[in-house]
Amino acid sequence: METEQQNPKATSEKTQPKLNPDNKDFKLQAKNVDVFYGDFQAIEDISLDIVDNSVTAFIGPSGCGKSTFLRLFNRMNDYIDTFHMNGEILLNKKSLYDESVKVEELRKTVGMVFQAPNPFPKTVYENVAYGLRIQGIKDENLIEEQVIKSLKQATLFDEVDSLDKQALALSGGQQQRLCIARALAVKPSVILMDEPTASLDPISTAKIEELIRELKEKYTIVVVTHNMQQAGRISDNTAFLYMGRLIEYGDTKKIFTNPEKDRTQNYITGRFG
Amino acid sequence: MAQLETEINLLNDDILELMYLVKTQLEKCRKAFMNFDEELALEITINEKRVDALELKIDRDCENILALFNPVAVDLRFVIASFKINSDLERLGDHADSIAKYIMDFGEPIDEETIKKMRIDEMFDTAIEMMSNIFSAFIAEDTDLARKVFAKDKILNEINRNISKITAKLIKSNGKDIQQYLYLFSIIRKLERVGDLTKNAAEELIFYIEAKVLKHQKDKSKKRKESDDS
């Protein structure tokens, strides 16, 4: 593998992930991961540790493998016929791809929010209750309690006049927060977000970003974003991927002020990509 | 070329233009002072308006780039450094303007021996060399050259430190030229500030190129490699 050129206009300080002073554990870990779709190699030998109770952003040009890499953490790539991988993905130091792992159980722990809000054509209440119902919870009081709690966490509760309102009648930003509430209802510990504000206006984007900052107190959040300023605003650590390889990973402040690698600098300053 | 790159290049050109203008103002100061050329001194005060106008333009350009292009990393450092260097250059221009006004106030040529005793010619030469260094360093993005101004600034500081005693001695020995000595004393103070501001500009240039903050550090002359290895 070719070695990455150092950034000529930078200190020689190495880029390192910023650890959480209150929780030094790594929630998610990738160890020498290769991903293939048939013959095409989408990810090449990536190793990376994601800090617990933090926000990690994946940035990089389209097709660099960041969404593929994100989807490894809740096994979303399993649906793709030609997908196969080498290496290990660990959650709380246990392999996610172990035969004993039940994917349905995994997705309770690792929730996901997608680029376009995708609520079900049901009421606000039923959207959030959905995950709990398929878990087999029948106690309506418990469900209601959890729905309200999740909507409050997603800062949506005060904005909807009735929980019986149709989800599709909400604004785009509200729908996205509803999807976040739906993910939170099943009490995950990790939330993956694939360009969660790509289709939202600046005000809705600001609300989601504020929410992400609040949620990291309790959850580990990994966000794929094309918006560099957003990565700077919300994340503690940033990983820059290029053509399936991890070029640089570490403290977001360092990456955006004094990146170690030339390619990172060229990408974040808009000189390529 | 990305629009941001174009904007950064235009900003770079404007900073260079201002730097060259201020350097020329200082060179003219030296000439006007040594030759007691009041016309040239007047020209300096007129040119000061160009310095101010260019400073305002650069301020506005920096603000626009920050607001419209959200620069990061090396681009952000360039805009921040340019913004600060711009302010340093404007103040350098002010000092050149003040020196020119002193020259016009003298009313008669300065005795060469007094100039030597007060080491004003040496101060002018050193300050202009520092400006030349920073000008060339900015063009070539040469931080070693930028670092040369730190040592030169020490010469200006040393002359400035001793000037009170020398001036007092001159006044005691020749009371009739007190006003002239006080003018010269003021010029020395101005040139000492010229050194400080040029040093600030060098620090900003190094911050842009090496991402290293040298402000408030004692040993600024440290080479890039040495400090990285430490």
Side-chain angles (χ1 to χ4, degrees):
Chain A
M1 194 186 291
E2 61 174 305
T3 46
E4 277 299 313
Q5 266 196 355
Q6 294 294 313
N7 177 3
K9 284 183 181 165
T11 58
S12 58
E13 199 185 326
K14 296 259 173 275
T15 301
Q16 308 269 12
K18 188 170 87 180
L19 300 178
N20 180 347
D22 303 322
N23 183 355
K24 292 199 168 60
D25 281 347
F26 293 123
K27 187 76 182 175
L28 295 164
Q29 291 168 290
K31 292 189 185 296
N32 304 104
V33 171
D34 296 313
V35 172
F36 299 86
Y37 295 122
D39 293 337
F40 173 70
Q41 184 162 9
I43 298 283
E44 192 182 330
D45 195 24
I46 292 186
S47 296
L48 162 152
D49 298 324
I50 291 176
V51 181
D52 207 352
N53 294 123
S54 72
V55 180
T56 302
F58 291 169
I59 61 167
S62 297
C64 71
K66 54 194 187 301
S67 290
T68 294
F69 191 56
L70 183 80
R71 290 197 304 261
L72 288 174
F73 296 111
N74 71 345
R75 295 186 56 170
M76 286 285 282
N77 294 322
D78 292 13
Y79 296 118
I80 301 166
D81 286 342
T82 53
F83 162 81
H84 66 280
M85 67 172 281
N86 301 323
E88 270 192 304
I89 298 283
L90 309 179
L91 169 69
N92 295 327
K93 302 195 168 52
K94 286 181 194 140
S95 174
L96 283 185
Y97 286 80
D98 195 87
E99 279 176 11
S100 63
V101 172
K102 287 184 183 151
V103 175
E104 299 72 32
E105 289 298 315
L106 167 68
R107 301 227 174 108
K108 278 187 219 159
T109 313
V110 184
M112 187 150 187
V113 176
F114 298 88
Q115 180 174 341
N118 55 354
F120 304 126
K122 291 170 180 280
T123 63
V124 168
Y125 184 94
E126 282 307 320
N127 262 278
V128 185
Y130 183 82
L132 301 167
R133 293 201 200 286
I134 60 167
Q135 273 182 29
I137 299 173
K138 297 225 164 47
D139 182 343
E140 207 51 46
N141 289 335
L142 189 71
I143 291 176
E144 188 179 344
E145 192 184 309
Q146 190 57 20
V147 167
I148 291 171
K149 191 177 162 198
S150 305
L151 285 168
K152 280 183 177 169
Q153 267 188 299
T155 65
L156 185 61
F157 187 74
D158 293 336
E159 286 182 34
V160 286
D161 35 23
S162 161
L163 298 184
D164 293 330
K165 190 172 181 172
Q166 281 299 310
L168 296 176
L170 299 175
S171 73
Q174 288 172 331
Q175 287 185 21
Q176 192 64 310
R177 277 179 285 144
L178 178 65
C179 293
I180 294 174
R182 189 173 64 187
L184 295 176
V186 292
K187 298 184 180 169
S189 61
V190 176
I191 305 170
L192 309 177
M193 296 184 172
D194 195 350
E195 296 189 53
T197 62
S199 59
L200 303 182
D201 70 12
I203 293 173
S204 305
T205 299
K207 281 189 179 167
I208 301 273
E209 289 181 1
E210 198 183 329
L211 175 59
I212 290 172
R213 278 196 295 270
E214 283 169 17
L215 291 176
K216 80 166 183 178
E217 298 296 321
K218 290 185 180 163
Y219 307 88
T220 300
I221 299 170
V222 189
V223 186
V224 163
T225 179
H226 271 295
N227 182 335
M228 234 88 67
Q229 277 73 44
Q230 178 169 72
R233 287 192 296 266
I234 61 172
S235 71
D236 301 291
N237 291 304
T238 296
F240 169 53
L241 280 77
Y242 181 72
M243 291 177 77
R245 294 197 291 124
L246 179 66
I247 306 297
E248 189 164 347
Y249 170 56
D251 189 341
T252 298
K253 268 188 206 140
K254 167 90 166 55
I255 298 249
F256 283 95
T257 55
N258 182 18
E260 185 188 331
K261 307 291 183 200
D262 201 27
R263 215 190 285 266
T264 314
Q265 171 140 297
N266 285 339
Y267 180 70
I268 62 169
T269 58
R271 284 179 173 78
F272 87 87
Chain B
M1 191 188 289
Q3 185 60 30
L4 173 60
E5 217 170 332
T6 310
E7 298 289 334
I8 295 260
N9 288 342
L10 290 173
L11 178 60
N12 185 74
D13 292 348
D14 281 347
I15 289 280
L16 275 178
E17 188 184 336
L18 181 56
M19 215 178 250
Y20 183 75
L21 180 59
V22 169
K23 183 168 93 74
T24 311
Q25 290 280 80
L26 278 173
E27 285 164 353
K28 283 180 181 168
C29 267
R30 186 191 192 284
K31 204 170 166 192
F33 175 80
M34 298 306 282
N35 302 336
F36 186 59
D37 185 340
E38 286 176 301
E39 261 181 48
L40 190 58
L42 181 64
E43 190 185 314
I44 294 165
T45 59
I46 293 168
N47 273 343
E48 167 63 8
K49 287 188 183 69
R50 283 179 60 204
V51 173
D52 289 348
L54 205 46
E55 186 223 3
L56 288 176
K57 180 178 185 300
I58 293 170
D59 262 0
R60 207 170 42 239
D61 289 346
C62 289
E63 187 186 351
N64 286 342
I65 293 174
L66 289 171
L68 304 177
F69 299 97
N70 310 117
V72 291
V74 67
D75 295 335
L76 177 63
R77 291 203 305 275
F78 182 77
V79 178
I80 292 175
S82 297
F83 191 70
K84 291 185 179 179
I85 290 173
N86 185 36
S87 159
D88 293 335
L89 291 173
E90 191 275 333
R91 288 170 65 198
L92 280 164
D94 284 348
H95 289 310
D97 179 60
S98 302
I99 293 171
K101 282 177 181 152
Y102 285 139
I103 294 168
M104 288 193 286
D105 287 347
F106 281 161
E108 57 179 350
I110 309 290
D111 168 40
E112 257 184 54
E113 205 179 315
T114 310
I115 292 173
K116 286 261 177 276
K117 272 185 192 156
M118 294 181 91
R119 297 169 71 188
I120 302 184
D121 51 344
E122 195 183 336
M123 274 199 114
F124 265 118
D125 288 345
T126 311
I128 290 165
E129 257 178 59
M130 288 170 77
M131 271 307 291
S132 295
N133 284 161
I134 198 73
F135 183 66
S136 306
F138 196 89
I139 293 172
E141 299 198 336
D142 181 344
T143 51
D144 288 339
L145 187 54
R147 281 180 164 85
K148 286 193 176 158
V149 308
F150 301 139
K152 286 179 184 154
D153 185 48
K154 286 182 182 155
I155 301 172
L156 298 187
N157 290 343
E158 186 255 328
I159 298 173
N160 180 56
R161 250 196 322 276
N162 298 325
I163 199 59
S164 302
K165 269 188 200 163
I166 294 171
T167 312
K169 220 167 156 184
L170 285 168
I171 290 172
K172 267 185 205 160
S173 65
N174 180 8
K176 73 177 172 53
D177 286 335
I178 288 179
Q179 197 174 5
Q180 195 176 73
Y181 295 144
L182 290 178
Y183 274 136
L184 296 177
F185 180 84
S186 302
I187 287 177
I188 285 179
R189 289 287 198 244
K190 295 279 172 203
L191 289 172
E192 192 275 332
R193 288 298 300 142
V194 165
D196 287 347
L197 291 165
T198 312
K199 193 180 74 179
N200 289 354
E203 286 169 4
E204 293 309 326
L205 183 61
I206 292 166
F207 165 71
Y208 150 55
I209 297 168
E210 296 180 8
K212 213 177 278 171
V213 178
L214 295 186
K215 263 196 293 192
H216 312 306
Q217 275 185 27
K218 279 190 181 155
D219 186 10
K220 294 182 204 294
S221 55
K222 261 191 175 179
K223 288 277 184 293
R224 180 179 189 177
K225 259 193 140 18
E226 287 167 13
S227 52
D228 282 356
D229 293 345
S230 62

